[in-house]
Amino acid sequence: MKIYGAEFLGTFWLVMGGCGSAVLAAAFPELGIGLHGVALAFGLSVLTMAYAIGHISGCHLNPAVSIGLWAGGRFPAQELFPYIVAQVAGGILAGGVLYAIASGAPGFDSANGFAANGYGDHSPGGYSLLAGLLSEVVMTTFFLLIILGVTDQRAPKGFAPVAIGFALTLIHLISIPVTNTSVNPARSTAVAVFAGDWAVGQLWLFWIAPIAGALLGAALYRVIGAQAPVSEPVDVPAYGHVERRQRQVRGSGGVREQGQHLRPGT
């Protein structure tokens, strides 16, 4: 249960940090953090949680990431459902807390957006459904490529949270004008249920597109990240002389090899 609790709390923090910055601080008079600040807040929320709970649950915080890691051979199928439930529940609780805070301001109306994702009339830039679909698929594809790459056993150790956090920041800098940036079904669901009927009506896109992108990213990394087994000579003493035997040296390990979770990730 500890790993699910970690995912619950981590996703709570992601929604509070990212969506909270968008709702409470982005347009604050004279001091608002704007698009750049919101993008950085999402990245920082993942980076901080990756160091905090990466060693416990892998810090996925995102159903698309969990599904992508499973497709990439890094996560067991039997844990997908409880992970996703924990992520969505943590996100919705954070959305409720954020709603309670934001509604304390005069003139607050969640129907104005509440950091919800949307397309068409509800896109920040008025982008179409097709544009939103393409943006979400491409952004999530590269997010998974980065996650799988920086958590590969061959990658430099200790820097994965930084790379993943900056990747999420960059993704938001690119795509906030298009859909308000999802790449995370739990994040989208967390605020859609409080934003109104239009947000719930468009929520399907922000489940389908990120998951499709995650599957594509996992498939691509399986191709580019694959390492053919090589033979490494090992000296083994036997009966007064040295025999040569071949040991297969494989490439990147999976998330749950030797019972371990991905550490760290998002």
Side-chain angles (χ1 to χ4, degrees):
M1 291 299 294
K2 291 181 179 179
I3 58 176
Y4 311 131
E7 286 295 302
F8 178 93
L9 293 173
T11 312
F12 180 99
W13 182 240
L14 170 66
V15 172
M16 283 299 298
C19 297
S21 69
V23 171
L24 303 175
F28 192 79
E30 299 182 9
L31 298 174
I33 62 175
L35 181 153
H36 300 91
V38 172
L40 184 59
F42 272 100
L44 289 174
S45 65
V46 168
L47 189 156
T48 51
M49 269 297 144
Y51 280 115
I53 66 169
H55 58 286
I56 301 171
S57 69
C59 192
H60 299 183
L61 317 185
N62 183 338
V65 168
S66 295
I67 291 170
L69 291 172
W70 162 75
R74 304 275 195 93
F75 192 66
Q78 65 268 23
E79 290 198 5
L80 277 176
F81 182 73
Y83 258 62
I84 291 171
V85 169
Q87 292 157 1
V88 173
I92 290 175
L93 179 61
V97 172
L98 180 58
Y99 182 88
I101 295 170
S103 61
F108 169 75
D109 184 359
S110 63
N112 290 333
F114 199 59
N117 302 113
Y119 55 84
D121 292 340
H122 299 289
S123 159
Y127 287 84
S128 67
L129 167 60
L130 180 59
L133 173 65
L134 186 59
S135 174
E136 290 292 327
V137 169
V138 171
M139 293 301 110
T140 316
T141 295
F142 278 88
F143 195 33
L144 260 294
L145 273 174
I146 292 165
I147 291 170
L148 289 167
V150 300
T151 56
D152 194 304
Q153 288 184 351
R154 295 164 291 173
K157 307 302 180 186
F159 296 101
V162 177
I164 293 167
F166 276 121
L168 190 59
T169 298
L170 178 58
I171 286 168
H172 279 78
L173 288 173
I174 296 167
S175 60
I176 283 178
V178 184
T179 60
N180 231 9
T181 309
S182 172
V183 303
N184 184 339
R187 167 261 188 270
S188 298
T189 304
V191 290
V193 296
F194 299 97
D197 292 342
W198 72 264
V200 175
Q202 295 191 354
L203 185 59
W204 64 271
L205 177 66
F206 304 105
W207 277 86
I208 291 175
I211 290 173
L215 293 173
L216 179 57
L220 290 174
Y221 194 77
R222 278 186 175 272
V223 175
I224 66 170
Q227 186 180 35
V230 296
S231 295
E232 178 184 330
V234 179
D235 291 334
V236 181
Y239 304 108
H241 67 280
V242 176
E243 293 182 345
R244 306 284 288 181
R245 68 181 174 87
Q246 301 296 313
R247 183 179 66 193
Q248 294 297 314
V249 180
R250 291 181 170 81
S252 61
V255 173
R256 298 307 292 272
E257 285 186 355
Q258 302 174 359
Q260 298 296 315
H261 287 279
L262 171 67
R263 300 199 292 262
T266 112

